[in-house]
Amino acid sequence: MFFTSFLILFAVLSVSFCDDGHEMEEFLKREYSLSKPYQSIGVSGSSHWELMGDAVVTTDHVRLTSDQQSKQGAVWSRMPCHLNDWELQVHFKIHGQGKKNLNGDGLAVWYTKERMQNGPVFGNRDFFTGLGVFVDTYPNEEKLLEAQKKRYTPRTERIFPYVLAMVANGTISYDHDRDGRPTELGGCNAMVRNRKHDTFIFIRYVRRRLTVMIDIDGQHEWRDCLDIPGVRLPQGFYFGASAITGDLSDNHDLISMKLYQLTVLRSKQEEEQEEEILIPSVDNTDFYRPYTDVESVGSVGIFFTVLFSMLGLFLLVVVGLVVYSHWNENRRKRFY
Ligand SMILES: [Ca+2]
């Protein structure tokens, strides 16, 4: 009951965050954008962007990984971003020789406190602080369950490639084997691989609302992917992109990342109420670990069942002993 009231309260709060009737203007911020020609990226300290790992620059793109096994690469902005409201348009291309599901692992777009640290999360470190938007091209959980000869339940079913957003505070791990399901904020299927036309992801953060859209069908139309209110991202984090290959591979190419500053008119009252965000979080904490919650409710349930059974048994034994001693006493009385 308490939990249900909590959910209702969260729903009401969420609705108030949905209200977004303000007009916006956008300005391209060149210092946070990456586009052709990619002059002197990673070559000197003068560039706004820095390369790492296996990433290389050509005239047409920044190739985060080539279509070869066990590669990882990234590109990171050198400058922390202090904008309130922004929109990042990412033009990318994922392509390779592998047939369906024989390719991997995907690419990620970042807005994080940390930068230039390689690791297992699409070529970036785990336990990151900030936002990650992943284009996951390999269904790890499905393959794992197949290998264990377990059935794939509709609840966990997804069509890959899958776009997913995660907000973390430095203490949450990305579950690679489960394709990030336990920490997923939202996501959508996106058939982005080996397309002839251009493919884009659009990440908008306005008034603490995170919206991700995709344009992947060559129609120049944005399609909704996820829309989450109450997302708190601090200022002063870094934009970046990374990719990784394992046993399976793909070319992960970045053609451009364009950052737009959005000017959102806020009332004086709104500005006063706006407190500085220090740690990334999402207001509706139900978003976190929905699967582990279900599992832990299950184990809690078992715990209480066992506990109450034992208490019941104990009570029965006590009642039994009392009845027995009374009966014994009465019997003795009858004898004497
Ligand atoms: Ca995966």
Side-chain angles (χ1 to χ4, degrees):
M1 187 62 195
F2 173 71
F3 186 63
T4 315
S5 339
F6 224 60
L7 279 181
I8 292 165
L9 180 68
F10 270 133
V12 171
L13 284 175
S14 305
V15 168
S16 62
F17 270 99
C18 290
D19 179 33
D20 188 272
H22 290 68
E23 287 196 10
M24 284 178 291
E25 277 187 282
E26 52 181 55
F27 302 99
L28 179 67
K29 302 293 279 186
R30 294 198 183 279
E31 63 269 40
Y32 300 118
S33 298
L34 174 74
S35 56
K36 289 181 202 176
Y38 315 103
Q39 284 163 336
S40 71
I41 289 183
V43 175
S44 69
S46 64
S47 164
H48 292 315
W49 293 84
E50 198 170 353
L51 286 185
M52 73 178 290
D54 298 308
V56 290
V57 181
T58 73
T59 48
D60 298 321
H61 51 244
V62 175
R63 177 153 288 174
L64 299 170
T65 77
S66 55
D67 189 5
Q68 291 171 302
Q69 290 183 325
S70 305
K71 300 282 177 193
Q72 54 176 295
V75 63
W76 284 95
S77 168
R78 289 181 197 272
M79 298 203 305
C81 176
H82 290 278
L83 302 177
N84 255 328
D85 304 286
W86 48 263
E87 185 179 292
L88 185 66
Q89 296 185 5
V90 184
H91 182 185
F92 67 100
K93 193 172 175 66
I94 300 177
H95 56 114
Q97 300 294 316
K99 295 278 176 280
K100 190 179 181 291
N101 280 352
L102 287 173
N103 63 283
D105 271 280
L107 69 77
V109 180
W110 302 97
Y111 173 69
T112 55
K113 186 177 173 183
E114 306 86 8
R115 65 186 288 279
M116 298 292 285
Q117 296 181 24
N118 63 3
V121 189
F122 299 93
N124 189 28
R125 58 166 276 165
D126 200 2
F127 298 100
F128 60 88
T129 312
L131 167 71
V133 176
F134 313 138
V135 184
D136 188 352
T137 55
Y138 185 74
N140 294 76
E141 184 174 83
E142 191 182 322
K143 295 293 167 191
L144 202 69
L145 291 175
E146 258 176 40
Q148 294 169 346
K149 298 201 163 38
K150 285 183 186 161
R151 272 191 74 89
Y152 201 46
T153 63
R155 199 168 71 114
T156 53
E157 200 163 5
R158 280 182 192 169
I159 300 165
F160 281 77
Y162 190 82
V163 175
L164 176 153
M166 172 173 170
V167 168
N169 56 12
T171 67
I172 300 169
S173 178
Y174 171 78
D175 192 340
H176 180 262
D177 289 345
R178 301 200 58 200
D179 303 302
R181 283 174 174 85
T183 51
E184 176 187 354
L185 281 181
C188 65
N189 157 248
M191 305 307 276
V192 292
R193 214 177 150 255
N194 286 343
R195 303 303 292 257
K196 292 262 185 300
H197 48 257
D198 293 332
T199 47
F200 299 88
I201 276 192
F202 161 110
I203 303 164
R204 176 186 270 183
Y205 181 63
V206 178
R207 300 161 76 89
R208 298 187 180 166
R209 187 177 197 106
L210 176 70
T211 310
V212 174
M213 291 193 236
I214 51 176
D215 173 4
I216 57 168
D217 298 321
Q219 305 292 320
H220 301 290
E221 276 175 4
W222 293 109
R223 175 152 68 86
D224 290 342
C225 182
L226 61 96
D227 184 28
I228 315 282
V231 175
R232 293 162 191 267
L233 295 173
Q235 292 181 11
F237 283 10
Y238 298 93
F239 287 105
S242 66
I244 194 167
T245 67
D247 290 341
L248 301 167
S249 63
D250 257 334
N251 295 300
H252 296 99
D253 298 343
L254 203 60
I255 292 111
S256 68
M257 294 222 288
K258 290 181 179 164
L259 187 81
Y260 294 88
Q261 176 178 15
L262 302 177
T263 51
V264 180
L265 293 174
R266 285 182 168 78
S267 68
K268 231 190 166 88
Q269 195 189 358
E270 272 180 311
E271 269 176 20
E272 279 164 7
Q273 282 172 351
E274 202 112 299
E275 82 273 31
E276 195 191 354
I277 301 162
L278 298 173
I279 299 166
S281 67
V282 180
D283 284 2
N284 189 341
T285 47
D286 279 355
F287 285 135
Y288 287 99
R289 307 178 189 282
Y291 293 101
T292 37
D293 274 351
V294 170
E295 279 157 22
S296 66
V297 163
S299 55
V300 165
I302 290 165
F303 171 77
F304 278 111
T305 310
V306 170
L307 184 75
F308 285 126
S309 310
M310 284 173 77
L311 278 175
L313 205 68
F314 179 72
L315 209 70
L316 266 178
V317 169
V318 170
V319 169
L321 278 174
V322 170
V323 169
Y324 176 75
S325 64
H326 269 277
W327 174 76
N328 226 1
E329 222 170 293
N330 286 344
R331 198 175 59 154
R332 256 184 254 133
K333 274 179 193 162
R334 262 189 269 137
F335 277 113
Y336 295 105

